Amino acid sequence: MKEHAKHRSLSYYTIKRLLAKGTPFDLKIDGTSMEPYLKIGDYVRIQCGDRNFEEGELVLIDWGDTFVIHRLINRQNMLTKGDNLNTVDPLGLKIVCTAKKVADSINIEAM
């Protein structure tokens, strides 16, 4: 079973506090659901604000006890899915913010 692209280093509540501040922050990917685009060790920047999500964008999703990064595949129905998964995510999940890839794990290791 493929893991969701989530961030376990920061607790759910720490991420909630960062979101409440409203300033952008970076998360390190530790799942495989968004491969090959996002790999374990890559970083994404979480930026809240504009709630006009576009199809194809990476989004931060609140699963109730964790956060995941998946892609918005249908704006009308707010369907999301991990690139490396066979099924769409359950309906009714809360899309919180957009996420943008900022660094590859390979580039970071080379530094």
Side-chain angles (χ1 to χ4, degrees), residues 4-24:
H4 292 286
K6 57 190 169 188
H7 193 279
R8 290 188 208 129
S9 298
L10 295 177
S11 75
Y12 176 80
Y13 297 102
T14 300
I15 294 172
K16 290 280 268 193
R17 283 194 298 275
L18 289 169
L19 290 169
K21 286 184 178 182
T23 56

Side-chain angles (χ1 to χ4, degrees), residues 4-93:
H4 292 286
K6 57 190 169 188
H7 193 279
R8 290 188 208 129
S9 298
L10 295 177
S11 75
Y12 176 80
Y13 297 102
T14 300
I15 294 172
K16 290 280 268 193
R17 283 194 298 275
L18 289 169
L19 290 169
K21 286 184 178 182
T23 56
F25 60 96
D26 294 346
L27 290 177
K28 185 177 180 181
I29 298 299
D30 71 354
T32 59
S33 69
M34 287 301 297
E35 287 184 348
Y37 185 69
L38 293 176
K39 296 176 182 65
I40 293 172
D42 288 352
Y43 282 85
V44 293
R45 173 143 310 130
I46 305 303
Q47 183 146 2
C48 297
D50 183 13
R51 302 292 174 146
N52 190 20
F53 303 111
E54 298 295 329
E55 285 184 17
E57 273 189 310
L58 299 180
V59 291
L60 178 70
I61 304 165
D62 186 340
W63 280 56
D65 63 349
T66 192
F67 287 94
V68 298
I69 304 293
H70 278 177
R71 192 175 304 280
L72 180 63
I73 61 168
N74 183 301
R75 185 171 177 241
Q76 181 177 348
N77 297 313
M78 298 306 278
L79 292 176
T80 57
K81 178 184 169 299
D83 291 356
N84 197 26
L85 301 176
N86 294 325
T87 59
V88 297
D89 297 332
L91 292 174
L93 295 174

